[in-house]
Amino acid sequence: MIVILKRSATEEQVQRVCAVIEEAGFKAHVSRGEERTIVGAIGTSPEMRPRLMEMFAGQSFVDRVVPVLKPYKLVSVEARAGRSVVEVGGVPVGVGHFTVIAGPCAVESEEQVMTAARAVKEAGARLLRGGAYKPRTSPYDFQGLGEDGLKMLAAARDETGLPVVTEARSPGHVETAARYADAIQIGARNMQNFDLLTEAGRSGLPVVLKRGLAATVEEWLKAAEYVASVGNMNIILCERGVRTFEQSLRFTQDLAIVPVVQELSHLPVIVDPSHASGRRRLVPPVCRAAVAIGADGLLVEVHPDPDRALCDPAQQLRPEQFRQVMQQVRDLAAVMGLSV
Ligand code: PEP
Ligand code: MN
């Protein structure tokens, strides 16, 4: 249930609404927008809901009371006054900002990540990515450099000024990753690792939540709700392709899910064409399509020398290709009225 307050509602009235909600056994969640303030009552005391609704509906400072029937509450469109902008190290994602996160699949060496960081910065990316804890399908494949890799990412941020997004593969990685990074990524294979979602949420850092390999939108948004439910609303959803019968791509990019998600949730949603396609030739067209369909940004793998990459060699763009696609992204974003 959410209580939408009138514009004229005072802070004292907002606090009073919260207190009544909490006394009734719910958790109060306040969202302040330009136009209105919304207070969400999150919890599982259904028997209290009608009484609360009746009580708030009679208050002069309440505009209306809306039951949220969806299983995800805090991340649903009803729970917020307008769409969310998530800031990663001061860089905005969402609402007018088309933000590109780029960098290598995995951090391999100081020189590799520094070269990649300089290249993506020069091409116009606003955030640097790189995995130090890699979720690999085979236990014999390169697993990432761990904390040493995080230090290399932090050094690349210090030189280029690009805030860093990196994956935590297990709850135990979150605290260490949070010491070096500006946002925590949760990988597709971990979308329903509920302990990891909670731990990442508790870090207070923004969370980039990849869609699971076979996750429905509802499952994805419920996973986001785990992060939100521990008080962290800084969530960026990332569509990275889903498994279908089609074999000519690594996964099938579900681009039309972007406007679907935007109808259901206020969270920004970005597109990762690298993991969906698995082939670098297919990455630029999907980057262009992502701008046109109204995504809030991209996550693109770029490696200084992809043929020698220790992870995902076929899909990582060469710096020159990334430069070209960024030019196209900027042109298209201008048409859409977005800043890059
Ligand atoms: C990644 O971003 O490097 C990654 C492993 O992605 P995903 O979890 O989407 O496969
Ligand atoms: Mn990868």
Side-chain angles (χ1 to χ4, degrees):
M1 180 192 95
I2 61 171
V3 186
I4 302 172
L5 302 181
K6 287 191 180 146
R7 222 178 163 155
S8 55
T10 63
E11 186 53 35
E12 200 197 326
Q13 288 164 332
V14 174
Q15 290 313 322
R16 202 181 321 150
V17 170
C18 292
V20 172
I21 286 172
E22 304 249 339
E23 268 163 34
F26 293 85
K27 218 168 158 328
H29 182 272
V30 181
S31 161
R32 289 183 175 83
E34 302 242 307
E35 291 292 313
R36 53 192 184 154
T37 297
I38 288 177
V39 186
I42 313 298
T44 49
S45 335
E47 65 289 350
M48 287 301 289
R49 207 166 287 139
R51 273 175 55 197
L52 270 185
M53 286 188 70
E54 209 177 306
M55 194 171 129
F56 287 131
Q59 300 289 334
S60 60
F61 52 90
V62 171
D63 181 8
R64 66 207 143 93
V65 184
V66 184
V68 179
L69 302 173
K70 296 265 169 38
Y72 43 87
K73 314 266 179 214
L74 296 172
V75 306
S76 76
V77 274
E78 293 103 332
R80 217 194 120 86
R83 301 203 61 74
S84 291
V85 179
V86 174
E87 292 215 352
V88 179
V91 172
V93 182
V95 191
H97 309 280
F98 188 88
T99 307
V100 180
I101 308 170
C105 178
V107 178
E108 298 169 6
S109 70
E110 203 164 323
E111 195 197 335
Q112 173 249 14
V113 74
M114 197 65 90
T115 310
R118 289 182 191 130
V120 301
K121 164 142 193 182
E122 199 217 311
R126 300 289 311 277
L127 299 169
L128 174 66
R129 64 148 285 147
Y133 301 106
K134 294 303 304 174
R136 302 308 301 275
T137 303
S138 164
Y140 306 118
D141 287 340
F142 177 60
Q143 304 284 309
L145 297 179
E147 191 167 358
D148 287 342
L150 296 173
K151 289 180 184 164
M152 294 171 195
L153 278 169
R157 177 195 42 220
D158 292 346
E159 195 203 285
T160 59
L162 294 179
V164 162
V165 180
T166 199
E167 177 163 356
R169 195 180 56 218
S170 76
H173 295 147
V174 172
E175 197 196 328
T176 317
R179 253 186 274 136
Y180 299 96
D182 301 278
I184 304 290
Q185 178 176 312
I186 294 185
R189 290 155 191 82
N190 260 325
M191 189 202 83
Q192 287 184 312
N193 182 335
F194 304 115
D195 295 333
L196 176 59
L197 293 165
T198 304
E199 201 59 28
R202 289 204 177 118
S203 75
L205 286 183
V207 173
V208 176
L209 179 59
K210 296 265 194 125
R211 182 184 185 185
L213 310 185
T216 63
V217 172
E218 187 168 314
E219 288 162 343
W220 193 13
L221 294 177
K222 283 180 182 167
E225 188 79 11
Y226 267 90
V227 178
S229 69
V230 292
N232 187 344
M233 296 302 291
N234 298 312
I235 306 161
I236 299 166
L237 300 167
C238 179
E239 148 56 35
R240 48 80 68 210
V242 289
R243 182 55 57 77
T244 68
F245 56 84
E246 182 52 61
Q247 298 290 300
S248 56
L249 300 131
R250 190 174 174 194
F251 294 92
T252 297
Q253 189 98 66
D254 189 5
L255 269 184
I257 215 68
V258 170
V260 172
V261 169
Q262 289 168 339
E263 263 175 25
L264 299 173
S265 172
H266 56 82
L267 297 175
V269 51
I270 65 171
V271 170
D272 166 2
S274 301
H275 292 87
S277 68
R279 284 189 280 152
R280 74 177 65 85
R281 198 162 47 78
L282 302 174
V283 171
V286 183
C287 288
R288 298 192 293 265
V291 187
I293 208 155
D296 296 297
L298 286 164
L299 184 148
V300 184
E301 287 192 341
V302 181
H303 191 289
D305 186 2
D307 295 332
R308 293 202 202 184
L310 298 179
C311 183
D312 290 346
Q315 70 196 32
Q316 303 200 56
L317 295 186
R318 302 180 203 289
E320 180 49 33
Q321 289 175 301
F322 182 63
R323 246 193 309 277
Q324 283 171 13
V325 77
M326 280 304 291
Q327 187 53 56
Q328 297 168 334
V329 163
R330 268 192 297 275
D331 291 346
L332 288 164
V335 173
M336 300 288 289
L338 302 168
S339 67
V340 177

